[in-house]
Amino acid sequence: MSVARLLERGKSEIGCVSTGNVGTAVASLAAKAGADAYVFYPNRLEATKARACMALGAKVVQVEGNYDEANRRCREVAEATGMDFANITLRPFYAEGAKTAAFEIVEQLDWRSPEHIVSPAAGGTLSSRVHKGLTELQLLGLAETDATRIHIAQPSGCNPIASAILAEEAEVHPVTPETAAHSLAIGAPGDGYLVIDAVLTRGGTGGFASDPEIFAGIDLLAATEGLLTEPAGGTTVAVLEKLAAAGRFAPDDTVVAMITGNGLKTLDDHPPKEWPAKIDCELDAMLEALGELKRAPTLMQDAREQLQR
């Protein structure tokens, strides 16, 4: 939506400030549109994301500051240069794109809205606009969405929105991020107040998870569904587990977990349980190693036991 609006305005340069996925999206779509992309990343960035943007032809700058600091400076850059930024000067259009996630969810469920949606929250654009998308589906008579609850998930090291919801406060108090879930590390979320409204309007709640719980959520999803997600998705799964344990979901409820990023980009930060053993390339050694592997519990078995608990 941002790039489309950029082209309508007759411009050919677009910037963005990003904790990860916005940068690669802007770089990709700008390349397709023939526009020049400039991506500003905060200091704690996974190198894979920067390399992806560069491979897509974007010019990448890493700013020595966290996301909130980089975001403030990018606003100043936009004012000083007149360059459009996808998630600053073009933010209304950027945000409209996020509501289509609600359209896709309902469409893929045969036009029946789920009882619950659990979404990760960083700046708050996704979950607040999913609420908007659900509302529009109801207004158009395409689906009954009033009963769908929205729950948001944040890491313990950066949970200003979840904390406000749980404390029943209307305002979000900024925090300094300290989490391995770098794509969710926005301590002063611009749309935080909209998320609070969306969650409370729909009767949902917020939750948060520690970094070890987030990585355990990544492993659980991968071992049971074959989906490898980055820490943002692990946060969703970890908080979903807590909500289920607290009795938030009825046994027959449909619960949609929003998994928003591919885990291949963040494997350097994901601590492995153990490294593969090195053996000789000989039949006897391989048979012995295979026997040991068969006797060891698998991630799937661990996951099943976790789900049973």
Side-chain angles (χ1 to χ4, degrees):
M1 293 292 290
S2 295
V3 173
R5 179 58 178 161
L6 180 85
L7 299 179
E8 283 183 347
R9 285 161 56 80
K11 293 191 173 185
S12 60
E13 294 183 332
I14 187 168
C16 75
V17 54
S18 174
T19 59
N21 296 322
V22 171
T24 50
V26 169
S28 174
L29 293 165
K32 181 68 175 177
D36 295 326
Y38 300 86
V39 180
F40 294 85
Y41 277 121
N43 52 10
R44 296 187 65 180
L45 166 72
E46 298 93 346
T48 307
K49 293 177 180 178
R51 288 199 294 269
C53 287
M54 295 170 71
L56 290 164
K59 309 293 176 61
V60 180
V61 175
Q62 186 166 347
V63 179
E64 286 301 321
N66 61 32
Y67 175 86
D68 302 300
E69 293 167 334
N71 184 58
R72 286 193 293 270
R73 292 292 175 259
C74 281
R75 290 177 183 274
E76 295 172 1
V77 171
E79 291 176 1
T81 65
M83 180 187 292
D84 274 323
F85 276 65
N87 46 353
I88 299 177
T89 60
L90 296 173
R91 188 172 184 83
F93 300 91
Y94 157 86
E96 279 295 281
K99 75 181 181 185
T100 61
F103 300 163
E104 292 186 46
I105 289 170
V106 174
E107 179 190 17
Q108 291 175 22
L109 291 174
D110 295 326
W111 299 101
R112 186 180 68 81
S113 192
E115 281 76 20
H116 303 272
I117 296 175
V118 184
S119 168
T125 303
L126 178 61
S127 46
S128 61
R129 268 50 175 211
V130 164
H131 168 53
K132 183 178 183 182
L134 292 173
T135 301
E136 291 181 356
L137 288 170
Q138 178 88 17
L139 287 171
L140 291 171
L142 293 173
E144 295 290 332
T145 66
D146 278 350
T148 300
R149 292 174 171 81
I150 293 176
H151 312 277
I152 62 106
Q154 293 197 291
S156 298
C158 188
N159 60 357
I161 305 176
S163 294
I165 291 170
L166 293 172
E168 299 182 349
E169 297 180 349
E171 294 185 10
V172 174
H173 302 289
V175 301
T176 300
E178 189 58 48
T179 175
H182 301 308
S183 62
L184 300 183
I186 298 180
D191 288 335
Y193 69 101
L194 292 176
V195 178
I196 294 174
D197 177 70
V199 170
L200 297 183
T201 298
R202 292 192 168 274
T205 188
F208 46 85
S210 66
D211 285 357
E213 290 171 330
I214 290 169
F215 287 118
I218 293 173
D219 290 341
L220 177 63
L221 181 68
T224 55
E225 294 295 329
L227 298 175
L228 180 62
T229 182
E230 66 167 289
T235 305
T236 301
V237 174
V239 170
L240 190 154
E241 283 189 83
K242 293 185 177 185
L243 295 177
R248 283 281 179 174
F249 313 135
D252 294 332
D253 283 351
T254 298
V255 182
V256 172
M258 302 194 74
I259 307 301
T260 56
N262 191 307
L264 289 174
K265 297 175 294 185
T266 57
L267 281 180
D268 288 345
D269 290 333
H270 191 156
K273 291 187 175 181
E274 59 179 321
W275 289 102
K278 292 184 179 180
I279 61 173
D280 294 332
C281 188
E282 300 288 345
L283 177 59
D284 290 343
M286 295 175 72
L287 290 175
E288 181 180 354
L290 180 60
E292 292 178 359
L293 290 173
K294 286 187 174 184
R295 289 189 293 272
T298 65
L299 280 175
M300 176 67 81
Q301 290 169 338
D302 290 342
R304 285 173 179 163
E305 291 176 4
Q306 188 174 350
L307 287 171
Q308 288 172 354
R309 291 195 298 271

XYZ file of all heavy atoms in Angstrom, residues 126-231:
756
model
N -0.360 -4.343 13.328
C -1.016 -5.566 12.877
C -2.297 -5.842 13.656
O -3.381 -5.979 13.073
C -0.056 -6.760 12.990
C -0.641 -8.114 12.592
C -1.091 -8.107 11.136
C 0.391 -9.224 12.815
N -2.192 -5.958 14.981
C -3.359 -6.352 15.763
C -4.462 -5.298 15.717
O -5.651 -5.629 15.666
C -2.961 -6.652 17.205
O -2.119 -5.641 17.715
N -4.102 -4.018 15.717
C -5.129 -2.974 15.672
C -5.849 -2.963 14.328
O -7.067 -2.734 14.266
C -4.519 -1.600 15.961
O -3.536 -1.255 15.003
N -5.110 -3.235 13.242
C -5.762 -3.226 11.917
C -6.480 -4.551 11.628
O -7.407 -4.576 10.823
C -4.737 -2.922 10.834
C -4.630 -1.426 10.513
C -4.473 -0.584 11.735
N -4.263 0.833 11.441
C -3.556 1.646 12.200
N -2.965 1.191 13.310
N -3.439 2.918 11.897
N -6.085 -5.633 12.270
C -6.886 -6.850 12.174
C -8.276 -6.576 12.759
O -9.297 -7.014 12.222
C -6.198 -8.023 12.905
C -7.169 -9.171 13.150
C -5.017 -8.525 12.074
N -8.309 -5.857 13.862
C -9.588 -5.433 14.449
C -10.394 -4.631 13.439
O -11.603 -4.852 13.265
C -9.304 -4.603 15.702
C -10.485 -3.874 16.254
N -11.682 -4.494 16.552
C -10.656 -2.546 16.571
C -12.545 -3.598 17.029
N -11.939 -2.421 17.043
N -9.738 -3.714 12.749
C -10.430 -2.900 11.754
C -10.948 -3.759 10.606
O -12.081 -3.579 10.141
C -9.490 -1.822 11.207
C -10.157 -0.876 10.221
C -9.208 0.206 9.733
C -9.935 1.161 8.801
N -9.034 2.208 8.252
N -10.125 -4.701 10.150
C -10.548 -5.581 9.071
C -11.756 -6.423 9.451
O -12.686 -6.606 8.650
N -11.744 -6.957 10.669
C -12.890 -7.743 11.149
C -14.147 -6.881 11.210
O -15.243 -7.323 10.829
C -12.586 -8.322 12.529
C -11.504 -9.398 12.601
C -11.199 -9.744 14.055
C -11.915 -10.656 11.844
N -14.004 -5.638 11.665
C -15.148 -4.727 11.747
C -15.724 -4.445 10.365
O -16.953 -4.410 10.177
C -14.722 -3.414 12.424
O -14.218 -3.699 13.735
C -15.899 -2.452 12.539
N -14.854 -4.261 9.379
C -15.324 -3.986 8.021
C -16.032 -5.191 7.416
O -17.030 -5.030 6.702
C -14.143 -3.550 7.150
C -13.591 -2.186 7.543
C -12.435 -1.736 6.682
O -12.000 -2.525 5.809
O -11.945 -0.608 6.884
N -15.542 -6.399 7.693
C -16.227 -7.600 7.209
C -17.645 -7.680 7.771
O -18.590 -8.052 7.071
C -15.432 -8.841 7.597
C -14.118 -9.087 6.842
C -13.333 -10.206 7.506
C -14.390 -9.425 5.384
N -17.797 -7.322 9.049
C -19.110 -7.319 9.680
C -20.012 -6.261 9.042
O -21.180 -6.532 8.717
C -18.950 -7.053 11.179
C -20.245 -6.967 11.965
C -20.729 -8.308 12.460
O -19.974 -9.262 12.496
N -21.994 -8.370 12.824
N -19.484 -5.060 8.831
C -20.277 -3.971 8.257
C -20.761 -4.302 6.851
O -21.865 -3.925 6.455
C -19.441 -2.687 8.234
C -19.189 -2.001 9.580
C -18.184 -0.874 9.425
C -20.492 -1.471 10.158
N -19.932 -5.028 6.093
C -20.286 -5.381 4.724
C -21.175 -6.621 4.639
O -21.613 -7.014 3.556
C -19.014 -5.614 3.901
C -18.168 -4.368 3.628
C -16.833 -4.743 3.014
C -18.923 -3.405 2.725
N -21.413 -7.261 5.776
C -22.257 -8.449 5.784
C -21.578 -9.684 5.213
O -22.247 -10.648 4.834
N -20.242 -9.679 5.170
C -19.516 -10.821 4.616
C -19.252 -11.906 5.652
O -19.045 -13.067 5.309
C -18.182 -10.347 4.022
C -18.298 -9.459 2.785
C -16.948 -8.914 2.387
C -18.925 -10.228 1.629
N -19.226 -11.545 6.925
C -18.990 -12.529 7.987
C -19.406 -11.926 9.320
O -19.347 -10.710 9.511
C -17.514 -12.929 8.038
N -19.829 -12.804 10.238
C -20.140 -12.368 11.601
C -18.839 -12.386 12.400
O -18.271 -13.448 12.650
C -21.174 -13.307 12.234
C -22.532 -13.290 11.554
C -23.264 -11.980 11.790
O -23.015 -11.346 12.839
O -24.073 -11.589 10.932
N -18.363 -11.211 12.765
C -17.048 -11.126 13.412
C -17.098 -10.509 14.804
O -16.071 -10.398 15.463
C -16.075 -10.298 12.550
O -16.529 -8.937 12.503
C -15.976 -10.851 11.132
N -18.271 -10.096 15.267
C -18.361 -9.396 16.556
C -17.846 -10.227 17.722
O -17.353 -9.684 18.713
C -19.814 -8.995 16.839
C -20.192 -7.708 16.117
O -19.283 -7.060 15.565
O -21.390 -7.364 16.099
N -17.965 -11.555 17.625
C -17.585 -12.417 18.755
C -16.108 -12.805 18.750
O -15.652 -13.504 19.654
C -18.444 -13.683 18.751
N -15.364 -12.362 17.739
C -13.942 -12.721 17.657
C -13.130 -11.886 18.634
O -13.151 -10.666 18.591
C -13.410 -12.500 16.232
O -14.145 -13.321 15.320
C -11.940 -12.863 16.145
N -12.410 -12.579 19.508
C -11.561 -11.898 20.482
C -10.131 -11.788 19.940
O -9.652 -12.727 19.300
C -11.555 -12.653 21.819
C -12.888 -12.604 22.546
C -12.876 -13.490 23.780
N -14.058 -13.304 24.597
C -15.235 -13.868 24.366
N -15.382 -14.675 23.329
N -16.265 -13.641 25.166
N -9.482 -10.684 20.211
C -8.090 -10.486 19.821
C -7.236 -10.456 21.088
O -7.526 -9.725 22.037
C -7.903 -9.190 19.023
C -8.599 -9.278 17.664
C -6.414 -8.883 18.821
C -8.535 -8.005 16.840
N -6.201 -11.288 21.107
C -5.236 -11.322 22.204
C -3.873 -10.957 21.634
O -3.537 -11.357 20.515
C -5.169 -12.718 22.832
C -6.506 -13.315 23.139
N -7.219 -13.035 24.283
C -7.275 -14.182 22.421
C -8.354 -13.706 24.283
N -8.421 -14.407 23.163
N -3.070 -10.213 22.368
C -1.757 -9.827 21.852
C -0.647 -10.447 22.699
O -0.798 -10.643 23.907
C -1.596 -8.299 21.738
C -1.712 -7.600 23.102
C -2.606 -7.727 20.762
C -0.401 -7.127 23.642
N 0.454 -10.751 22.018
C 1.596 -11.414 22.638
C 2.833 -10.538 22.501
O 3.123 -10.030 21.414
C 1.836 -12.772 21.971
N 3.565 -10.380 23.601
C 4.806 -9.608 23.588
C 5.877 -10.327 24.408
O 5.558 -11.118 25.303
C 4.568 -8.205 24.163
C 3.670 -7.324 23.315
C 3.787 -5.860 23.681
O 3.365 -5.437 24.757
N 4.357 -5.066 22.769
N 7.141 -10.058 24.108
C 8.212 -10.612 24.950
C 8.265 -9.907 26.295
O 7.924 -8.723 26.398
C 9.475 -10.346 24.130
C 9.127 -9.186 23.259
C 7.664 -9.293 22.964
N 8.691 -10.624 27.324
C 8.786 -10.018 28.655
C 9.721 -8.818 28.662
O 9.519 -7.868 29.423
C 9.288 -11.058 29.668
O 8.386 -12.127 29.770
N 10.745 -8.847 27.807
C 11.710 -7.764 27.761
C 11.260 -6.548 26.995
O 12.002 -5.559 26.887
N 10.039 -6.573 26.462
C 9.475 -5.414 25.762
C 7.965 -5.602 25.669
O 7.445 -5.980 24.623
C 10.095 -5.259 24.374
S 9.610 -3.716 23.552
N 7.280 -5.325 26.757
C 5.845 -5.623 26.815
C 4.988 -4.442 27.260
O 4.099 -4.592 28.103
C 5.604 -6.806 27.757
C 6.080 -6.527 29.174
O 6.646 -5.473 29.459
N 5.851 -7.465 30.064
N 5.215 -3.239 26.708
C 4.457 -2.077 27.189
C 2.957 -2.180 26.923
O 2.153 -1.704 27.734
C 5.087 -0.912 26.433
C 5.670 -1.523 25.191
C 6.151 -2.873 25.625
N 2.568 -2.783 25.793
C 1.130 -2.864 25.482
C 0.457 -3.923 26.348
O -0.606 -3.674 26.937
C 0.909 -3.186 23.989
C 1.627 -2.175 23.098
C -0.581 -3.193 23.677
C 1.544 -2.484 21.613
N 1.066 -5.100 26.434
C 0.485 -6.164 27.251
C 0.378 -5.749 28.706
O -0.624 -6.038 29.380
C 1.321 -7.444 27.118
N 1.394 -5.060 29.202
C 1.370 -4.611 30.593
C 0.228 -3.631 30.836
O -0.459 -3.694 31.868
C 2.701 -3.955 30.968
O 3.756 -4.894 30.952
N 0.004 -2.714 29.881
C -1.082 -1.752 30.024
C -2.433 -2.450 30.026
O -3.322 -2.113 30.815
C -1.011 -0.723 28.896
N -2.599 -3.440 29.147
C -3.868 -4.177 29.085
C -4.117 -4.927 30.383
O -5.217 -4.875 30.955
C -3.860 -5.139 27.887
C -3.904 -4.359 26.572
C -5.048 -6.112 27.963
C -3.666 -5.191 25.343
N -3.110 -5.614 30.883
C -3.277 -6.405 32.100
C -3.499 -5.511 33.320
O -4.169 -5.910 34.281
C -2.057 -7.303 32.305
C -1.891 -8.408 31.260
C -0.555 -9.121 31.443
C -3.040 -9.411 31.342
N -2.947 -4.300 33.289
C -3.145 -3.359 34.391
C -4.410 -2.524 34.203
O -4.701 -1.661 35.047
C -1.929 -2.441 34.514
N -5.120 -2.765 33.103
C -6.357 -2.038 32.786
C -6.101 -0.532 32.708
O -6.876 0.287 33.215
C -7.461 -2.351 33.804
C -7.840 -3.827 33.832
C -8.958 -4.123 34.811
O -9.299 -3.236 35.619
O -9.515 -5.241 34.764
N -5.000 -0.188 32.045
C -4.650 1.213 31.845
C -4.893 1.614 30.397
O -4.750 0.799 29.480
C -3.183 1.451 32.208
C -2.864 1.196 33.674
C -1.390 1.435 33.994
O -0.612 1.593 33.040
O -1.039 1.440 35.185
N -5.247 2.855 30.179
C -5.544 3.342 28.833
C -4.304 3.825 28.101
O -4.323 3.997 26.883
C -6.577 4.463 28.898
N -3.217 4.070 28.824
C -2.007 4.598 28.214
C -0.884 3.561 28.256
O -0.809 2.740 29.177
C -1.557 5.861 28.944
C -2.524 7.029 28.803
C -1.980 8.294 29.428
O -0.780 8.300 29.789
O -2.733 9.273 29.552
N -0.027 3.640 27.258
C 1.143 2.773 27.186
C 2.352 3.531 27.721
O 2.623 4.662 27.291
C 1.412 2.329 25.733
C 2.714 1.555 25.641
C 0.259 1.486 25.209
N 3.064 2.930 28.650
C 4.257 3.558 29.206
C 5.493 2.988 28.497
O 5.720 1.774 28.530
C 4.337 3.303 30.704
C 3.134 3.797 31.461
N 2.886 5.132 31.652
C 2.098 3.117 32.033
C 1.756 5.275 32.325
N 1.255 4.066 32.569
N 6.285 3.817 27.841
C 7.451 3.333 27.089
C 8.443 2.584 27.975
O 8.587 2.879 29.164
C 8.071 4.621 26.538
C 6.953 5.600 26.499
C 6.108 5.276 27.700
N 9.113 1.606 27.372
C 10.130 0.825 28.065
C 11.372 0.762 27.183
O 11.324 1.071 25.991
C 9.641 -0.611 28.365
C 8.387 -0.594 29.220
C 9.390 -1.388 27.062
N 12.489 0.360 27.784
C 13.712 0.115 27.019
C 13.769 -1.368 26.678
O 13.839 -2.201 27.579
C 14.958 0.507 27.827
O 14.877 1.905 28.141
C 16.230 0.239 27.028
N 13.726 -1.734 25.388
C 13.672 -3.149 25.018
C 14.925 -3.916 25.413
O 16.040 -3.415 25.299
C 13.523 -3.107 23.489
C 13.027 -1.740 23.183
C 13.634 -0.846 24.216
N 14.719 -5.145 25.872
C 15.809 -6.061 26.181
C 15.299 -7.475 25.943
O 14.847 -8.152 26.860
C 16.272 -5.877 27.628
C 17.551 -6.645 27.967
C 18.722 -6.257 27.077
O 18.956 -5.041 26.911
O 19.391 -7.171 26.543
N 15.347 -7.899 24.684
C 14.797 -9.198 24.317
C 15.472 -9.726 23.062
O 15.963 -8.950 22.235
C 13.274 -9.101 24.075
O 12.772 -10.366 23.610
C 12.939 -8.035 23.037
N 15.476 -11.050 22.920
C 15.998 -11.679 21.710
C 14.996 -11.604 20.562
O 15.352 -11.887 19.409
C 16.354 -13.140 21.996
N 13.761 -11.240 20.868
C 12.741 -11.071 19.824
C 12.883 -9.671 19.235
O 12.085 -8.766 19.493
C 11.351 -11.291 20.410
N 13.928 -9.485 18.425
C 14.291 -8.146 17.953
C 13.193 -7.497 17.121
O 13.035 -6.270 17.157
C 15.583 -8.209 17.140
C 16.747 -8.756 17.900
N 17.122 -8.262 19.130
C 17.625 -9.770 17.627
C 18.174 -8.934 19.580
N 18.490 -9.851 18.683
N 12.430 -8.288 16.382
C 11.383 -7.697 15.547
C 10.218 -7.168 16.368
O 9.364 -6.443 15.847
C 10.883 -8.713 14.508
O 10.317 -9.837 15.139
N 10.166 -7.520 17.666
C 9.118 -6.996 18.552
C 9.676 -5.955 19.524
O 8.955 -5.509 20.421
C 8.470 -8.132 19.340
C 7.795 -9.235 18.525
C 7.128 -10.246 19.457
C 6.775 -8.670 17.545
N 10.928 -5.564 19.354
C 11.599 -4.682 20.308
C 11.317 -3.212 20.015
O 12.204 -2.443 19.632
C 13.101 -4.951 20.308
N 10.072 -2.813 20.189
C 9.668 -1.420 20.044
C 9.107 -0.983 21.391
O 8.010 -1.387 21.788
C 8.630 -1.244 18.926
C 9.247 -1.657 17.579
C 8.128 0.192 18.876
C 8.315 -1.524 16.397
N 9.861 -0.171 22.098
C 9.498 0.191 23.465
C 8.461 1.288 23.562
O 7.810 1.435 24.602
N 8.296 2.082 22.491
C 7.296 3.149 22.471
C 6.395 2.946 21.256
O 6.533 3.630 20.233
C 7.964 4.522 22.420
N 5.477 1.988 21.326
C 4.666 1.619 20.159
C 3.702 2.722 19.747
O 2.874 3.174 20.543
C 3.911 0.374 20.643
C 3.891 0.490 22.134
C 5.164 1.162 22.501
N 3.815 3.146 18.497
C 2.998 4.248 18.006
C 1.514 3.959 18.012
O 0.694 4.866 18.212
N 1.126 2.712 17.781
C -0.288 2.349 17.745
C -0.726 1.602 19.002
O -1.737 0.906 18.993
C -0.579 1.479 16.512
C -0.544 2.284 15.225
O -0.777 3.504 15.286
O -0.287 1.701 14.159
N 0.019 1.773 20.080
C -0.297 1.052 21.304
C -1.696 1.314 21.821
O -2.419 0.394 22.230
N -2.131 2.586 21.768
C -3.461 2.924 22.274
C -4.555 2.291 21.422
O -5.630 1.925 21.921
C -3.633 4.444 22.333
C -3.695 5.129 20.984
C -4.901 5.521 20.427
C -2.525 5.382 20.261
C -4.955 6.129 19.189
C -2.566 5.994 19.027
C -3.787 6.375 18.488
O -3.834 6.985 17.257
N -4.288 2.133 20.122
C -5.255 1.472 19.242
C -5.357 -0.021 19.562
O -6.438 -0.615 19.473
C -4.853 1.659 17.780
C -4.953 3.075 17.211
C -4.418 3.109 15.786
C -6.394 3.565 17.250
N -4.232 -0.622 19.932
C -4.242 -2.041 20.302
C -5.051 -2.238 21.579
O -5.860 -3.170 21.676
C -2.811 -2.572 20.499
C -2.844 -4.030 20.936
C -1.999 -2.420 19.223
N -4.846 -1.376 22.561
C -5.612 -1.480 23.804
C -7.104 -1.410 23.511
O -7.903 -2.212 24.015
C -5.194 -0.369 24.784
C -3.753 -0.577 25.243
C -6.133 -0.342 25.992
C -3.210 0.547 26.098
N -7.494 -0.465 22.666
C -8.903 -0.331 22.301
C -9.414 -1.580 21.594
O -10.516 -2.072 21.894
C -9.089 0.892 21.406
C -10.525 1.055 20.932
O -11.391 1.379 21.765
O -10.780 0.828 19.735
N -8.621 -2.110 20.653
C -9.043 -3.288 19.896
C -9.220 -4.497 20.809
O -10.215 -5.222 20.729
C -8.019 -3.598 18.804
N -8.241 -4.719 21.682
C -8.284 -5.882 22.572
C -9.441 -5.776 23.558
O -10.207 -6.737 23.742
C -6.942 -6.034 23.318
C -7.058 -7.080 24.413
C -5.833 -6.410 22.339
N -9.593 -4.617 24.185
C -10.649 -4.470 25.186
C -12.034 -4.465 24.547
O -12.985 -5.023 25.102
C -10.423 -3.190 25.992
C -9.127 -3.153 26.815
C -9.044 -1.871 27.632
C -9.021 -4.372 27.726
N -12.164 -3.853 23.358
C -13.441 -3.848 22.657
C -13.901 -5.250 22.338
O -15.101 -5.571 22.412
C -13.336 -3.019 21.357
O -13.029 -1.667 21.682
C -14.630 -3.069 20.567
N -12.943 -6.115 22.019
C -13.279 -7.475 21.614
C -13.188 -8.479 22.773
O -13.309 -9.688 22.547
C -12.369 -7.914 20.460
C -12.660 -7.148 19.182
C -12.002 -7.721 17.957
N -12.560 -7.091 16.770
C -13.665 -7.510 16.148
N -14.297 -8.574 16.592
N -14.111 -6.866 15.083
N -12.968 -8.008 23.970
C -12.960 -8.910 25.116
C -11.752 -9.812 25.193
O -11.817 -10.895 25.791
N -10.653 -9.358 24.605
C -9.431 -10.169 24.641
C -8.530 -9.763 25.785
O -8.936 -9.077 26.730
N -7.277 -10.171 25.694
C -6.314 -9.846 26.737
C -4.910 -9.803 26.148
O -4.720 -10.022 24.944
C -6.380 -10.878 27.893
O -5.570 -10.428 28.986
C -5.878 -12.249 27.435
N -3.946 -9.535 26.991
C -2.550 -9.529 26.566
C -1.745 -10.489 27.408
O -2.146 -10.877 28.507
N -0.611 -10.899 26.874
C 0.282 -11.793 27.599
C 1.701 -11.588 27.135
O 1.949 -10.979 26.088
N 2.659 -12.095 27.914
C 4.056 -11.979 27.520
C 4.812 -13.224 27.934
O 4.359 -14.011 28.771
C 4.699 -10.711 28.095
C 4.412 -10.458 29.544
C 5.176 -11.051 30.542
C 3.371 -9.620 29.909
C 4.908 -10.806 31.876
C 3.102 -9.365 31.250
C 3.868 -9.963 32.233
N 5.973 -13.416 27.309
C 6.775 -14.629 27.524
C 8.250 -14.249 27.578
O 8.695 -13.318 26.894
C 6.531 -15.636 26.403
N 9.004 -14.981 28.377
C 10.444 -14.774 28.477
C 11.138 -15.296 27.231
O 10.556 -16.064 26.447
C 10.991 -15.497 29.707
O 10.859 -16.906 29.542
N 12.394 -14.904 27.029
C 13.140 -15.388 25.864
C 13.232 -16.913 25.836
O 13.024 -17.521 24.765
C 14.530 -14.758 25.823
C 14.492 -13.299 25.368
O 13.393 -12.806 25.033
O 15.554 -12.648 25.344
N 13.556 -17.608 26.950
C 13.565 -19.081 26.903
C 12.206 -19.658 26.515
O 12.133 -20.643 25.762
C 13.946 -19.475 28.330
C 14.761 -18.326 28.841
C 14.097 -17.117 28.249
N 11.119 -19.060 26.991
C 9.780 -19.529 26.613
C 9.519 -19.287 25.131
O 8.863 -20.108 24.460
C 8.727 -18.824 27.457
C 8.725 -19.247 28.912
C 7.813 -18.391 29.782
O 7.627 -17.191 29.462
O 7.290 -18.910 30.782
N 10.037 -18.186 24.609
C 9.860 -17.875 23.191
C 10.573 -18.907 22.318
O 10.007 -19.416 21.336
C 10.377 -16.452 22.896
C 9.438 -15.417 23.528
C 10.514 -16.223 21.392
C 9.981 -14.006 23.520
N 11.818 -19.246 22.680
C 12.549 -20.249 21.899
C 11.905 -21.628 22.032
O 11.890 -22.411 21.073
C 14.013 -20.281 22.324
C 14.799 -19.088 21.851
C 15.395 -18.216 22.751
C 14.935 -18.829 20.496
C 16.113 -17.109 22.319
C 15.643 -17.724 20.044
C 16.234 -16.861 20.958
N 11.343 -21.933 23.200
C 10.613 -23.189 23.367
C 9.362 -23.196 22.489
O 8.987 -24.230 21.926
C 10.231 -23.395 24.833
N 8.734 -22.029 22.334
C 7.578 -21.922 21.449
C 7.948 -22.153 19.996
O 7.201 -22.780 19.238
N 9.114 -21.653 19.597
C 9.611 -21.904 18.233
C 9.769 -23.404 18.003
O 9.327 -23.948 16.979
C 10.951 -21.187 18.009
C 10.762 -19.665 18.024
C 11.592 -21.619 16.689
C 12.050 -18.877 17.973
N 10.408 -24.085 18.971
C 10.634 -25.526 18.835
C 9.326 -26.306 18.826
O 9.172 -27.278 18.081
C 11.520 -26.019 19.979
C 12.957 -25.518 19.876
O 13.356 -25.115 18.770
O 13.667 -25.528 20.895
N 8.373 -25.882 19.658
C 7.077 -26.576 19.721
C 6.344 -26.482 18.394
O 5.835 -27.484 17.879
C 6.234 -25.977 20.846
C 4.817 -26.533 21.004
C 4.856 -28.015 21.363
C 4.044 -25.751 22.048
N 6.293 -25.292 17.821
C 5.613 -25.107 16.539
C 6.308 -25.904 15.435
O 5.652 -26.563 14.615
C 5.586 -23.628 16.173
C 4.886 -23.285 14.852
C 3.393 -23.541 14.953
C 5.154 -21.832 14.457
N 7.632 -25.853 15.432
C 8.385 -26.555 14.383
C 8.180 -28.067 14.464
O 7.998 -28.734 13.440
C 9.869 -26.218 14.500
N 8.207 -28.608 15.689
C 8.123 -30.060 15.857
C 6.728 -30.605 15.629
O 6.570 -31.785 15.294
C 8.599 -30.447 17.255
N 5.699 -29.773 15.792
C 4.326 -30.273 15.648
C 3.682 -29.885 14.321
O 2.806 -30.592 13.830
C 3.441 -29.743 16.791
O 3.524 -28.307 16.839
C 3.881 -30.314 18.126
N 4.117 -28.751 13.731
C 3.469 -28.273 12.512
C 4.413 -28.172 11.319
O 3.971 -27.876 10.212
C 2.833 -26.893 12.759
C 1.685 -26.916 13.752
C 0.496 -27.728 13.256
O 0.287 -27.778 12.025
O -0.212 -28.315 14.088
N 5.701 -28.383 11.551
C 6.650 -28.269 10.445
C 6.860 -26.834 9.992
O 7.266 -26.591 8.848
N 6.607 -25.873 10.863
C 6.787 -24.450 10.541
C 7.895 -23.873 11.416
O 7.814 -23.939 12.642
C 5.500 -23.672 10.791
C 4.284 -24.070 9.952
C 3.053 -23.290 10.415
C 4.539 -23.811 8.475
N 8.914 -23.314 10.776
C 10.020 -22.703 11.505
C 9.815 -21.192 11.514
O 9.824 -20.554 10.465
C 11.355 -23.049 10.850
C 12.612 -22.457 11.518
C 12.760 -22.980 12.940
C 13.847 -22.778 10.684
N 9.612 -20.641 12.706
C 9.329 -19.216 12.802
C 10.455 -18.481 13.520
O 11.287 -19.092 14.193
C 8.009 -18.974 13.547
O 7.730 -17.565 13.588
C 8.074 -19.484 14.987
N 10.477 -17.199 13.362
C 11.410 -16.356 14.106
C 10.826 -16.094 15.500
O 9.689 -16.493 15.792
C 11.651 -15.054 13.354
C 10.436 -14.146 13.235
C 10.819 -12.745 12.766
O 11.424 -12.026 13.572
O 10.495 -12.387 11.616
N 11.548 -15.400 16.394
C 11.054 -15.192 17.755
C 9.695 -14.502 17.870
O 8.984 -14.723 18.851
C 12.169 -14.353 18.394
C 13.410 -14.849 17.718
C 12.994 -15.049 16.296
